[in-house]
Amino acid sequence: MLFPLAQLAILAASISPLCVYPMTATPCTKPVVRKEWRKLSVPEKTDWIRAVNCLSHLPHDDALSPTVKPTDIVAVNTSGSYYDDIVYMHMDLNHVIHFTGLFLPWHRWYVHSFETALKNKCGFAGASPYWNWSIDAPDVYGSTFFKDSDPKSGLGGWGDPANDFQVPTGGFSNFHTSYPSAHTLRRNFTLRPYLNFDSPFFPDPELMANTTFTKAEVHKMVEGFDGDYKGFQKYFERFPGAHSSVHTIMGGDLAGYCPANAVNCVPGLPTFSPDEPLFFMHHAMVDKVWSDWQHRRPSNFWAYEGGSVQAFENLTEYNTYPNGAPPALTFDTLMPADGMFPQARIRDVMNTTAGYLCYVYE
């Protein structure tokens, strides 16, 4: 999760004329159930952690074909892992999947694709778990979520500043990643991550990040924005909002940067948030909030709009196009996949229980 300044359009070939009514897809009969991490059994937790680690030990896939190729990322590391390839997709596409109309549908597709890889390549038997961070908002640092040190079923705790902020315990204590340079998974709790953000997009530098993803904030999102997809995404994805603040309060790899005094960092280059396996649980929760909003009112379910170009040179531009400036995206827009997974159109991921997708949230 980054705040890039460049504005890169999705290839015009991926844009097709607006289809007013979505095509009806065949409902799935046995949707899998995505559960909150703490609702999983120990064997279920163990299986997910095992499968994620499995992906990190598989070799690079030459199918990875970057399409955006921004100048602020390193080149593909062919000695990296298959997990690194999945991370690189997010790095490459960063400028087109945030603050555009792709944000919610693309990340829904991304979590699904990650789950599919866990199943097909590593024998994962379950469904993608989600992390309900609103439960932990009152005390993120002290939450029991980060106190399970079991080497097979625990997520581990906060990084050790004396040891490059590496996660010291749990199933990811030896989780290696290649981007932007080789390092072991880092976490660095940061309650006020916006202190040095001198920008009108961050009007309150003293803001405590946990105040933006409370149960009250989730309720506000799900219950509000009647039929207003643009407003819903703007509030959810806003710079110091729930989505961003979960990233930044975690520091380290989920925040997308090297902590101060970390070693083996490439100066000026971010570490990118999918390095942290919790990324996928975080975005499953983002997806759940969107799904809950979709199901809250009939006017919400198929509500969708957004552009393909980031627009935040200034506040006026951003407030006009918070989820992307023209060219407009449509239900028929083909989402970029960088050669890693089968592509899908936005319409394919609007309904989690029909056609391409088949899951619900507990």
Side-chain angles (χ1 to χ4, degrees):
M1 186 279 304
L2 301 173
F3 306 123
L5 298 177
Q7 295 181 345
L8 299 173
I10 294 173
L11 297 177
S14 70
I15 311 295
S16 61
L18 177 64
C19 178
V20 178
Y21 297 104
M23 294 171 57
T24 301
T26 304
C28 63
T29 56
K30 295 182 179 179
V32 297
V33 180
R34 291 184 175 179
K35 301 177 183 179
E36 210 277 334
W37 178 256
R38 283 159 282 209
K39 295 292 184 68
L40 298 182
S41 66
V42 170
E44 288 173 327
K45 291 177 179 178
T46 299
D47 191 37
W48 186 79
I49 290 174
R50 176 202 59 78
V52 174
N53 277 293
C54 166
L55 289 184
S56 75
H57 288 93
L58 296 179
H60 160 73
D61 189 342
D62 288 334
L64 174 63
S65 302
T67 53
V68 177
K69 301 177 182 178
T71 58
D72 60 348
I73 65 173
V74 297
V76 171
N77 181 354
T78 57
S79 65
S81 71
Y82 185 81
Y83 185 94
D84 290 323
D85 293 338
I86 296 174
V87 170
Y88 200 90
M89 289 174 58
H90 195 268
M91 293 167 58
D92 177 57
L93 299 172
N94 176 64
H95 297 281
V96 297
I97 58 175
H98 299 109
F99 300 99
T100 72
L102 282 182
F103 173 64
L104 290 170
W106 189 90
H107 283 86
R108 174 174 282 180
W109 168 87
Y110 190 51
V111 173
H112 169 75
S113 297
F114 182 70
E115 178 187 288
T116 301
L118 292 175
K119 292 180 177 180
N120 293 346
K121 292 183 175 291
C122 292
F124 178 56
S128 291
Y130 68 94
W131 170 26
N132 186 347
W133 20 255
S134 70
I135 296 173
D136 307 294
D139 182 12
V140 178
Y141 185 80
S143 172
T144 56
F145 190 81
F146 297 104
K147 291 185 177 180
D148 189 346
S149 60
D150 188 279
K152 292 184 177 180
S153 62
L155 297 175
W158 299 103
D160 181 0
N163 188 31
D164 196 27
F165 298 91
Q166 293 180 16
V167 175
T169 60
F172 297 118
S173 62
N174 194 35
F175 192 80
H176 297 278
T177 184
S178 296
Y179 295 113
S181 57
H183 66 280
T184 303
L185 180 65
R186 300 183 179 109
R187 293 179 190 152
N188 179 34
F189 178 75
T190 310
L191 184 61
R192 289 185 171 89
Y194 307 118
L195 284 174
N196 297 317
F197 285 50
D198 183 15
S199 165
F201 294 100
F202 299 88
D204 181 10
E206 297 284 342
L207 180 71
M208 292 188 292
N210 62 321
T211 63
T212 70
F213 54 88
T214 62
K215 290 181 180 180
E217 284 294 299
V218 172
H219 180 81
K220 182 176 181 179
M221 287 186 283
V222 173
E223 294 295 324
F225 309 101
D226 187 359
D228 179 12
Y229 181 91
K230 180 179 177 180
F232 173 77
Q233 180 181 331
K234 179 183 179 182
Y235 192 81
F236 204 167
E237 197 190 10
R238 73 193 193 281
F239 291 90
H243 163 253
S244 299
S245 289
V246 173
H247 279 279
T248 54
I249 202 170
M250 288 289 294
D253 286 315
L254 194 61
Y257 58 81
C258 295
N261 302 318
V263 299
N264 199 28
C265 289
V266 179
L269 292 178
T271 56
F272 295 95
S273 46
D275 278 346
E276 162 69 84
L278 285 179
F279 173 96
F280 296 97
M281 279 203 273
H282 168 37
H283 272 277
M285 177 61 179
V286 170
D287 184 54
K288 180 184 185 300
V289 174
W290 178 27
S291 178
D292 289 348
W293 178 80
Q294 284 184 292
H295 288 88
R296 183 65 185 87
R297 295 181 180 87
S299 59
N300 294 350
F301 196 86
W302 289 105
Y304 177 79
E305 64 176 298
S308 58
V309 181
Q310 292 178 333
F312 42 78
E313 287 296 322
N314 53 65
L315 278 176
T316 299
E317 182 183 59
Y318 169 71
N319 287 327
T320 303
Y321 302 111
N323 64 338
L329 304 176
T330 77
F331 284 124
D332 287 326
T333 297
L334 198 62
M335 296 186 291
D338 276 6
M340 288 292 293
F341 301 108
Q343 287 183 269
R345 298 184 186 275
I346 288 174
R347 74 166 68 255
D348 298 330
V349 298
M350 291 296 292
N351 187 348
T352 69
T353 57
Y356 185 76
L357 303 175
C358 191
Y359 67 86
V360 294
Y361 286 99
E362 184 180 72

